[in-house]
Amino acid sequence: MKKVSIVVPIYNGEKYIDNCIKNLLMQTYSNLEIVLVDDGSTDKTAELCDSYLEKDSRIKVIHQENGGLSAARNSGTEMATGSYLVYVDVDDDIMPSLVEDNVKLAMDNDADVVFYSFWYHNLDTNVRTENEYKGFFSGNNNSFFYDKLSDTIDHEIFNAPWNKLYKTSFLRKNNLRFLPEYPIYEDIIFASKILQFAKKIVVNPNKYYVYYLRSSGSLLTKYVDGYYDSVTKFYNNAMDYCSLYKDNKVIKDKFANLYIRLVTTNLKQISCREQFSIQEKLERISYILDNGCFKEALQNTQIDRKKRMIRLLVLTRNKLGILLMYSYLGRSR
């Protein structure tokens, strides 16, 4: 029975730890290693993590200075001794058979990575929604690119690290790490990198993970410095990945449209952020226009009608027009 490491990054997660550990210890697969990474928490996370060391020999704990989610996942990955590895966020839930079912698929198919499906659970409305993904897949990287990748992007199976089981040697051989210098969308940056190296892939349509989210609060209020650099890193990774295959136009457009949607969200955030002066807003919009990647994506991608105005404004470098358009849209929400 192969050992499976479960890496749990935790920052100020005291109210979630007990439930998380309960879920992990209820796994039907027994040969586990649970790596709890206390990422510089200021609450009782450190004490709670240490208390579990005495309760189960499979639990390990790392305490480190706060470095963010990516740094915490990297630390857990470095400590992991399992043949396979799973990432779990402390405030989510998992099904008891997650490890058993998916490690079996990985071993039976000699897979570098196994994708599996999940539920969204909205904490504001208490509504749980199935990610209605269908269709099992097992095959090589070429078949995955042409036959399955598009579906995994559409259903967000592609995106996250927490709905996948990885062969640990695959991650280490290819130096696949999270990048702490990118403060947001580290998940799709990582996903777009691992697919450049994965040779055998399994996609399991069954659901094993409950991802908790909140609908309250507009994206316009969640501006993060480094947002544009982060999503552009994803875009460049994705284009590098597509370049490995011929006849890649459909997938390139799929990735480019995702990138365009993310960047337009950033432009809305900048335009509507009250803390920025008009000059600061124009400078940040100018930074996006000067980079060139957004322009390239808009020029070379089939886009819907709603995006044609922003394409015109970007191609003509109309910074003020972008600011006024998104400021108006933000006020009318």
Side-chain angles (χ1 to χ4, degrees):
M1 180 182 277
K2 298 283 189 181
K3 184 192 291 185
V4 177
S5 298
I6 302 177
V7 173
V8 186
I10 312 171
Y11 176 72
N12 288 352
E14 63 178 8
K15 65 182 180 180
Y16 306 111
I17 290 173
D18 288 343
N19 182 67
C20 179
I21 297 296
K22 180 192 74 173
N23 285 335
L24 297 178
L25 297 181
M26 285 177 60
Q27 288 297 299
T28 56
Y29 192 86
S30 60
N31 193 10
L32 296 178
E33 172 185 66
I34 298 168
V35 183
L36 307 177
V37 185
D38 165 32
D39 187 41
S41 299
T42 58
D43 62 1
K44 294 181 180 179
T45 290
E47 300 168 39
L48 290 170
C49 288
D50 287 343
S51 73
Y52 277 104
L53 284 172
E54 303 173 3
K55 298 178 181 178
D56 196 299
S57 61
R58 296 174 296 177
I59 294 176
K60 297 179 179 179
V61 175
I62 299 171
H63 299 291
Q64 63 183 37
E65 293 185 6
N66 180 248
L69 183 58
S70 292
R73 285 177 176 148
N74 287 340
S75 296
T77 303
E78 289 167 9
M79 176 178 273
T81 61
S83 298
Y84 294 91
L85 188 146
V86 171
Y87 297 105
V88 172
D89 287 352
V90 69
D91 53 348
D92 293 332
D93 280 329
I94 59 174
M95 299 299 105
S97 60
L98 183 152
V99 173
E100 181 176 9
D101 289 357
N102 290 291
V103 77
K104 184 177 188 306
L105 288 172
M107 290 189 291
D108 289 349
N109 295 277
D110 191 27
D112 293 317
V113 57
V114 178
F115 297 53
Y116 41 88
S117 194
F118 54 91
W119 293 269
Y120 295 104
H121 190 112
N122 189 310
L123 290 168
D124 292 329
T125 62
N126 200 31
V127 173
R128 182 168 295 188
T129 306
E130 289 188 16
N131 183 15
E132 296 181 356
Y133 179 81
K134 295 180 171 36
F136 177 84
F137 171 87
S138 175
N140 62 26
N141 51 350
N142 194 70
S143 296
F144 176 78
F145 184 85
Y146 291 111
D147 300 335
K148 207 66 182 174
L149 176 57
S150 181
D151 281 348
T152 67
I153 297 170
D154 289 343
H155 288 85
E156 300 188 350
I157 299 289
F158 157 82
N159 299 29
W162 41 253
N163 71 318
K164 298 173 181 67
L165 178 142
Y166 308 88
K167 187 183 289 183
T168 309
S169 60
F170 159 72
L171 295 178
R172 289 180 174 154
K173 175 184 176 182
N174 297 293
N175 194 30
L176 294 167
R177 297 168 55 83
F178 295 89
L179 304 179
E181 61 266 37
Y182 295 102
I184 193 170
Y185 288 113
E186 78 292 332
D187 47 4
I188 57 174
I189 294 173
F190 185 70
S192 58
K193 195 66 177 179
I194 65 168
L195 290 177
Q196 295 180 37
F197 296 95
K199 301 300 182 186
K200 300 191 76 173
I201 299 164
V202 170
V203 183
N204 179 358
N206 295 321
K207 292 173 284 295
Y208 298 91
Y209 198 98
V210 183
Y211 176 66
Y212 289 99
L213 55 88
R214 292 186 182 277
S215 59
S216 59
S218 168
L219 281 173
L220 303 183
T221 67
K222 298 179 181 178
Y223 178 85
V224 175
D225 278 326
Y227 179 115
Y228 177 72
D229 291 337
S230 296
V231 298
T232 299
K233 179 66 174 177
F234 149 68
Y235 176 70
N236 288 329
N237 277 355
M239 294 302 102
D240 288 345
Y241 171 44
C242 290
S243 71
L244 300 174
Y245 301 90
K246 298 178 180 179
D247 302 322
N248 58 18
K249 175 65 173 169
V250 171
I251 299 299
K252 285 181 74 172
D253 280 359
K254 186 83 67 173
F255 279 128
N257 271 294
L258 173 56
Y259 173 62
I260 290 166
R261 178 167 57 82
L262 294 171
V263 176
T264 54
T265 294
N266 193 212
L267 288 170
K268 294 173 190 175
Q269 292 170 332
I270 292 168
S271 300
C272 297
R273 189 164 176 79
E274 295 179 358
Q275 293 89 335
F276 293 156
S277 67
I278 297 295
Q279 185 59 35
E280 286 176 305
K281 292 177 180 181
L282 292 173
E283 287 174 358
R284 290 170 188 267
I285 292 170
S286 182
Y287 177 77
I288 292 174
L289 301 186
D290 289 344
N291 178 276
C293 284
F294 188 43
K295 177 181 177 181
E296 172 194 300
L298 286 166
Q299 279 182 312
N300 300 330
T301 306
Q302 184 71 31
I303 58 176
D304 61 40
R305 288 191 301 171
K306 293 180 180 178
K307 296 292 191 296
R308 290 176 188 171
M309 177 57 74
I310 188 62
R311 178 167 64 185
L312 174 63
L313 293 171
V314 169
L315 296 183
T316 58
R317 294 189 53 79
N318 191 336
K319 294 178 289 184
L320 184 58
I322 292 170
L323 173 58
L324 292 173
M325 180 180 74
Y326 283 126
S327 297
Y328 172 77
L329 291 175
R331 288 195 303 269
S332 64
R333 287 171 64 89

